[in-house]
C-alpha cells in the first residue's frame, strides 16, 4: 500500500486547523488505498522518508523562512534520502500572518534539490486558514499515490 508521510510543525491553533483539514483530505474515503503517516518535523527522520511514497509538508512562516523544526528535518534527511527519493511527489502548505514568500521559496529550493516533484504549488495561507484548500491539497497528493 502506498504511504503518504505528513511532516509538520504545528505550534499554533491556525496550523492545527490546517493540519486537521489536510488529514481530512489525505484520508478522504473516496481516495482509499493510501496509508497516511504523520510525524512532527522534529521527530521525522530518514527512515520515515525512505519508507514513504509521497510527502506533505506543513510549516509556519517564521521571520520570512520555514520553521526551524522543518529546516532541522530537511538537514537530517537531505543526504541520506537524496538519491532514493528523487521524483517522488510532494505538496506543502505554509501559514503566516504576513508574507510567506521566503518560506515558500525555501520549500521550493530544498525540495528541488531533493528532486521531489510538486503536485501543486505550495499553498500560501496568510491570516485565516482556508480549510477547503488544505483538504484539497492533501487529497490531490493522496490521489496521485492511490493505486
Amino acid at each position: 500500500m502506498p504511504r503518504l508521510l505528513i511532516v509538520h510543525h504545528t505550534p499554533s491553533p491556525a496550523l492545527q486547523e490546517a493540519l486537521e483539514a489536510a488529514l481530512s483530505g489525505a484520508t478522504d474515503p473516496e481516495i482509499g488505498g493510501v496509508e497516511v503517516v504523520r510525524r512532527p518535523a522534529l521527530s521525522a527522520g530518514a527512515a520515515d522518508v525512505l519508507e514513504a511514497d509521497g510527502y506533505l509538508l506543513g510549516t509556519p512562516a517564521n521571520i520570512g523562512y520555514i520553521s526551524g523544526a522543518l529546516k532541522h528535518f530537511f538537514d537530517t534527511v537531505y543526504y541520506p534520502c537524496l538519491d532514493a527519493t528523487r521524483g517522488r511527489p510532494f505538496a506543502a502548505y505554509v501559514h503566516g500572518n504576513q508574507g510567506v514568500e521566503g518560506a515558500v521559496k525555501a520549500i521550493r529550493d530544498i525540495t528541488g534539490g531533493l528532486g521531489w516533484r510538486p503536485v501543486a504549488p505550495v499553498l500560501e495561507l496568510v491570516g485565516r486558514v482556508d480549510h477547503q484548500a488544505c483538504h484539497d491539497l492533501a487529497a490531490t497528493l493522496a490521489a496521485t499515490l492511490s493505486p
Side-chain angles (χ1 to χ4, degrees), residues 1-74:
M1 177 180 295
R3 179 178 288 177
L4 170 58
L5 174 63
I6 300 175
V7 177
H8 64 96
H9 184 62
T10 308
S12 69
L15 278 157
Q16 185 64 39
E17 289 178 35
L19 176 61
E20 289 173 11
L23 284 167
S24 172
T27 58
D28 189 307
E30 289 187 30
I31 297 167
V34 176
E35 178 186 6
V36 176
V37 175
R38 64 179 173 172
R39 298 277 186 270
L42 288 175
S43 64
D48 297 307
V49 174
L50 293 169
E51 292 171 356
D53 301 291
Y55 316 100
L56 178 62
L57 311 168
T59 184
N62 289 339
I63 313 171
Y65 198 68
I66 58 176
S67 69
L70 191 63
K71 176 67 167 76
H72 174 76
F73 163 75
F74 281 130

